[in-house]
Amino acid sequence: MKKMLLLLSSFVFAILFSACTKANAAPAQNASPSREPLISPEVAKLGRVLSGMSERAKAAMPNGNPQDFLADLHKVLEIEKTFRTDDVSLYYLIDKKHNIGSDYVPKDLIPVKGNDLWNVSRNDLSLRPEAYHALEDLSRAALQDGIKLLVSSTYRSYAYQDRLFARYVKEDGLELAERYSARPGTSQHQLGVAVDFGSITDDWGDTRMGKWVYQHAADYGWSLSFPQGYEDVTGYMWECWHFRYLGKEMCAFQKKWFGDIQQFMLEFIDGWKRAESY
C-alpha cells in the first residue's frame, strides 16, 4: 500500500469505497476472478471503527498511513497483554456512557502518604500499584527541577463518589453538577489510576507546578483527562489538575494519532476491541 499524506480516516474510507466499487462492478469478459482480498481485514476493520467515531475525533487525527497507525496500535495492545489479569485494564473506558460496578475496587491499593517525594492534602489517599509507582517516577523528576508535587485526590470508592455527587447536586443543581462531577460508577477515580494535583482550581495550571506537570506528565505515562475546550467530547468542564495514568506508550500513541485527546483514543481502543475482524 502506498504511503499517502491524507487524513488517516479519509484514506481508509477511500480504500473501502474503492473496494466496494470494484466488488460491485461487472467482471470483464473472459477475465479470471481475483482471489486476493481488495484490502486487508485490519484496514477494513479500521475503517469500520473510525466510521463510528465522532466527526470531531476523526478531524483530530493527523495525516498518516493506516499501516503505520496499525503498527502503533498493536504495540500498545501488546503492552496491554502484560497487565495483571485480575483487575480491569489500564485502558478501561469509563465515562458518562461507560461505567463500572458499585462493587468494583482496584486490587492492592497502595496508600498515598506524604513523604520525601510529594505532599498530600489529606491522609486517606490511595492508588492502584501501577499508578503509584508512576507517581513516584513523576515526582522524582519534578524534585530534580526543584518542584515537590501536591497530591490532592486519588482513588474514590463508588460510595464516596455517590456522596460527593449528591452534595454537588444539592449545592449547584443537577445540570451544573453533571458538568464538573461524575455520577457514581463513572469516575476515573474509582479505577484508582487518576490523580488531582495541587489546589484543584483553574489557576493551578498557571503555577510553576502546574506548568511542569503539563510539560512532563506524558513522559511518565500520565494523561490530562479533561482538556480545555472539549466539554462536548469528555462530558466535563476543563480540569487542568486531573491526570490519568495510562503508560508512556499510550500517551505517545494519544499524542501522535489522536490530537493528544485522551477521550478520542480510549473511545477508539474500546471500539477496536468490540469490532468484528472480517
Side-chain angles (χ1 to χ4, degrees), residues 60-79:
M61 301 182 76
N63 295 336
N65 176 4
Q67 298 298 349
D68 292 340
F69 177 91
L70 289 168
D72 290 341
L73 170 63
H74 284 301
K75 287 179 184 178
V76 297
L77 293 179
E78 283 300 310
I79 291 171

Side-chain angles (χ1 to χ4, degrees), residues 7-275:
L7 274 174
L8 176 61
S9 56
S10 298
F11 184 31
V12 172
F13 296 146
I15 293 174
L16 292 174
F17 178 78
S18 175
C20 292
T21 300
K22 292 178 181 178
N24 293 328
Q29 285 187 340
N30 301 322
S32 299
S34 173
R35 295 179 180 273
E36 296 182 2
L38 293 172
I39 58 173
S40 74
E42 281 217 319
V43 172
K45 179 178 177 180
L46 178 58
R48 293 194 302 274
V49 176
L50 287 173
S51 68
M53 298 184 70
S54 69
E55 292 304 314
R56 191 171 186 187
K58 286 180 281 191
M61 301 182 76
N63 295 336
N65 176 4
Q67 298 298 349
D68 292 340
F69 177 91
L70 289 168
D72 290 341
L73 170 63
H74 284 301
K75 287 179 184 178
V76 297
L77 293 179
E78 283 300 310
I79 291 171
E80 186 178 26
K81 293 178 182 178
T82 68
F83 297 165
R84 60 188 301 168
T85 59
D86 62 346
D87 208 338
V88 300
S89 171
L90 292 173
Y91 304 164
Y92 189 91
L93 176 61
I94 187 168
D95 55 24
K96 289 182 180 292
K97 297 179 181 179
H98 305 85
N99 63 1
I100 200 161
S102 59
D103 59 346
Y104 172 74
V105 178
K107 301 289 186 181
D108 303 323
L109 285 167
I110 300 176
V112 179
K113 304 292 185 182
N115 55 40
D116 293 339
L117 291 177
W118 59 68
N119 295 317
V120 296
S121 64
R122 42 195 286 187
N123 295 317
D124 60 347
L125 304 177
S126 60
L127 283 172
R128 180 169 163 164
E130 300 93 329
Y132 183 91
H133 297 310
L135 178 62
E136 289 181 316
D137 293 339
L138 181 70
S139 299
R140 287 192 186 96
L143 282 175
Q144 290 179 357
D145 288 336
I147 297 170
K148 191 171 185 179
L149 299 181
L150 172 63
V151 180
S152 297
S153 185
T154 53
Y155 165 71
R156 298 177 194 160
S157 68
Y158 182 99
Y160 182 99
Q161 190 68 34
D162 191 21
R163 294 192 298 271
L164 186 65
F165 183 75
R167 190 186 88 193
Y168 290 146
V169 170
K170 184 176 181 179
E171 291 175 352
D172 293 325
L174 178 61
E175 184 176 355
L176 179 55
E178 287 195 318
R179 295 182 62 199
Y180 66 81
S181 181
R183 288 177 178 267
T186 67
S187 173
Q188 291 186 353
H189 285 286
Q190 191 179 344
L191 300 181
V193 295
V195 171
D196 289 343
F197 289 103
S199 57
I200 314 186
T201 56
D202 290 348
D203 57 358
W204 177 80
D206 293 323
T207 66
R208 186 164 175 255
M209 184 193 304
K211 291 177 180 179
W212 189 94
V213 173
Y214 265 71
Q215 184 175 355
H216 299 284
D219 296 335
Y220 299 89
W222 294 91
S223 166
L224 179 70
S225 295
F226 309 121
Q228 192 167 26
Y230 286 86
E231 185 176 351
D232 61 316
V233 171
T234 66
Y236 297 104
M237 300 164 64
W238 173 50
E239 292 190 356
C240 62
W241 57 84
H242 181 116
F243 287 76
R244 173 177 176 169
Y245 178 68
L246 290 168
K248 299 175 185 179
E249 296 80 8
M250 274 288 270
C251 286
F253 186 52
Q254 171 184 313
K255 184 175 183 178
K256 181 177 179 180
W257 292 110
F258 294 93
D260 211 14
I261 302 301
Q262 180 191 120
Q263 185 71 23
F264 292 156
M265 178 182 64
L266 291 178
E267 286 179 356
F268 175 85
I269 293 290
D270 183 70
W272 179 266
K273 291 177 179 178
R274 294 174 186 271

